Amino acid sequence: AVTEDLICIVLPTKHETRWLGDEAKFIKIIEEKGYNAEILFSQNSSAIEKTNVETLIAKGAKVIILCPYDATAAAAAVKDAEDAGIPVISYDRLILDSDAVDFYVTFDSIAVGAAQAQYLVDQAGDTTGNNLYMYSGALTDNNSFLFFEGAWRVLQPKIADGTFIVRNNAKAVEFVDKLELTRDEMADIMSVVDTEWNMDVSKSLAEAHLTSNDASAKGVVYVLGPADDDNARSLSDTFNADAEVEKAIVVGADGVEASVQYIIDGKQSMTVY
């Protein structure tokens, strides 16, 4: 049945704390304003995302707010909405390869990455030879590139001058003298440490990096998380489980409740909210 003035919201997954928090905020505003709205989740699947959009079009959506799972694949779903005359707001993540996006609302992701990196720099102070492990968000998410760009601009000079030694990414070492990276160069570095925004992938990557490094690359470690608190906690747990790691300075983002507790407990160092 077609519903009058229906606002439709499509979020990527229920399996990340961040999106459940967004759902709660949307519901609060919807109830306060008396809007007629529906929220669907895409289970980190572009196919389900497209089906969700088709379902909402059929229900008579007046506007679709879409946070894409895959920034490029989402263009097909947006085209369906455009063909139906429905405006689309690209929410948090930019939908790529489409001229049918009407609005884009997001955070300053470059500033988030820079804030994470600056915290690590501040903690390192004037010391040199500090062990640095870098992790990226999913390459399917345009924000991952923005987070990394912001972090790289802060960290690159400190890697070049010996403040940090990158222990888990030969590609980053290859570009150590280059402050401004192309998107392809960023992808080269990020693809080695792509967590896919998945806590299990973060754990597996960190375990592999710790296994391949000896005690000299451990001790006190500085960990650039992928601008996501869930993955920051997974990285923290994995690094702290290694007997040769004395201290892990782990940075995250989103300010989720579980990570605030980790910060209180000394298991995560900071978050960006």
Side-chain angles (χ1 to χ4, degrees):
V2 173
T3 309
E4 295 276 337
D5 297 330
L6 179 63
I7 298 168
C8 297
I9 302 159
V10 181
L11 298 174
T13 177
K14 282 190 170 184
H15 298 300
E16 293 171 26
T17 311
R18 158 67 200 283
W19 304 118
L20 294 175
D22 282 28
E23 179 192 31
K25 292 180 184 112
F26 273 123
I27 289 171
K28 184 172 184 291
I29 293 167
I30 288 161
E31 290 176 348
E32 284 175 356
K33 300 292 185 181
Y35 294 143
N36 187 18
E38 183 165 349
I39 303 173
L40 298 178
F41 287 84
S42 300
Q43 300 173 39
N44 278 345
S45 163
S46 294
I48 294 172
E49 182 176 273
K50 191 169 187 299
T51 299
N52 282 341
V53 171
E54 290 167 353
T55 299
L56 297 170
I57 290 169
K59 287 188 173 185
K62 288 291 185 181
V63 62
I64 294 176
I65 299 167
L66 173 61
C67 180
Y69 163 62
D70 182 312
T72 303
V78 174
K79 180 68 166 61
D80 290 342
E82 180 187 42
D83 290 345
I86 301 167
V88 173
I89 299 172
S90 185
Y91 175 68
D92 189 80
R93 299 172 177 173
L94 180 60
I95 297 163
L96 301 177
D97 295 348
S98 172
D99 59 3
V101 175
D102 296 277
F103 298 95
Y104 171 42
V105 58
T106 191
F107 300 98
D108 185 342
S109 298
I110 291 176
V112 172
Q116 287 185 295
Q118 190 60 52
Y119 183 90
L120 296 177
V121 169
D122 291 346
Q123 294 301 304
D126 296 327
T127 61
T128 58
N130 298 288
N131 298 312
L132 176 65
Y133 292 79
M134 308 169 72
Y135 295 90
S136 157
L139 266 68
T140 53
D141 179 356
N142 187 63
N143 281 358
S144 299
F145 288 86
L146 301 177
F147 291 134
F148 187 81
E149 180 182 344
W152 182 258
R153 286 178 183 173
V154 174
L155 289 173
Q156 181 272 334
K158 294 298 183 177
I159 298 168
D161 73 7
T163 300
F164 291 110
I165 300 172
V166 180
R167 296 297 192 180
N168 68 330
N169 197 316
K171 277 291 178 183
V173 176
E174 194 178 311
F175 294 115
V176 69
D177 294 320
K178 190 169 183 184
L179 181 62
E180 299 293 334
L181 298 173
T182 67
R183 191 178 178 93
D184 285 345
E185 288 167 343
M186 283 193 284
D188 282 346
I189 296 172
M190 294 162 61
S191 63
V192 182
V193 290
D194 178 1
T195 63
E196 302 173 24
W197 298 128
N198 183 297
M199 294 173 76
D200 291 333
V201 174
S202 290
K203 181 175 186 287
S204 296
L205 283 170
E207 286 174 344
H209 298 150
L210 287 164
T211 300
S212 64
N213 277 305
D214 61 20
S216 67
K218 299 178 187 179
V220 178
V221 297
Y222 294 76
V223 183
L224 177 71
D228 168 85
D229 274 340
D230 289 350
N231 286 279
R233 293 196 310 281
S234 183
L235 291 168
S236 173
D237 290 344
T238 308
F239 275 91
N240 283 305
D242 189 296
E244 293 176 322
V245 172
E246 297 165 23
K247 183 181 181 182
I249 298 163
V250 184
V251 299
D254 289 340
V256 305
E257 187 176 350
S259 277
V260 173
Q261 188 61 53
Y262 259 49
I263 292 169
I264 291 167
D265 296 339
K267 293 191 286 186
Q268 184 173 321
S269 304
M270 69 86 83
T271 184
V272 184
Y273 178 65

